Amino acid sequence: MNCTIEKILTDAKTLLERLREHDAAAESLVDQSAALHRRVAAMREAGTALPDQEIESQIDRICEMGEVMRKAVQVDDDQFCKIQEKLAQLELENKELRELLSISSESLQVRKENSVDTASQPIK
């Protein structure tokens, strides 16, 4: 699997946007539920209440939508956490590789200096 930091960051941004969309959708469901409850209360006061079966149906539908949204948010949260973990792992690996490269470069430089010093000494 070829993962780059840029791809992980892009995926993280996408997931964050999806989380915001899910949050907005959940907020909308809460608003719809509140509006439905107000509507039912107003109809009961006016004596034109909806049949209990229809009320239950509407409430069940709203609850189902809320559960779907909760599951979607949970999946996105899990995926976002996995991406953050992978990003942290890649950043650590990158840091370690840079340290190894630095050590290797320093070692190569020392060898070059030693070879120049040896070559410049007169032969006895």
Side-chain angles (χ1 to χ4, degrees):
M1 186 169 89
N2 186 13
C3 284
T4 64
I5 292 175
E6 292 81 17
K7 182 179 182 331
I8 290 173
L9 287 172
T10 301
D11 289 347
K13 288 176 185 175
T14 301
L15 283 173
L16 183 59
E17 182 59 33
R18 288 179 60 193
L19 284 172
R20 287 182 180 142
E21 290 171 3
H22 288 301
D23 188 46
E27 185 82 22
S28 174
L29 287 174
V30 169
D31 292 343
Q32 288 177 15
S33 176
L36 178 62
H37 285 288
R38 285 191 301 272
R39 181 176 161 211
V40 168
M43 292 178 121
R44 282 192 176 146
E45 287 177 15
T48 59
L50 292 171
D52 286 341
Q53 186 177 14
E54 187 177 337
I55 292 171
E56 287 299 319
S57 173
Q58 294 267 349
I59 291 172
D60 289 344
R61 183 171 164 247
I62 290 171
C63 289
E64 287 174 13
M65 289 189 300
E67 187 60 33
V68 167
M69 292 304 297
R70 273 191 288 282
K71 286 180 183 178
V73 168
Q74 182 62 43
V75 167
D76 280 349
D77 282 345
D78 292 345
Q79 187 67 19
F80 186 72
C81 288
K82 287 177 186 177
I83 287 175
Q84 283 183 317
E85 289 172 9
K86 186 67 173 177
L87 179 59
Q89 177 186 2
L90 287 171
E91 286 174 339
L92 179 62
E93 182 180 329
N94 188 10
K95 179 182 174 189
E96 291 171 352
L97 288 171
R98 287 181 187 276
E99 288 173 5
L100 287 173
L101 181 61
S102 174
I103 291 169
S104 177
S105 296
E106 289 170 6
S107 174
L108 184 59
Q109 184 64 31
V110 168
R111 283 188 205 161
K112 283 182 180 179
E113 289 172 2
N114 287 341
S115 99
V116 169
D117 289 343
T118 305
S120 66
Q121 290 180 355
I123 299 176
K124 294 180 184 179

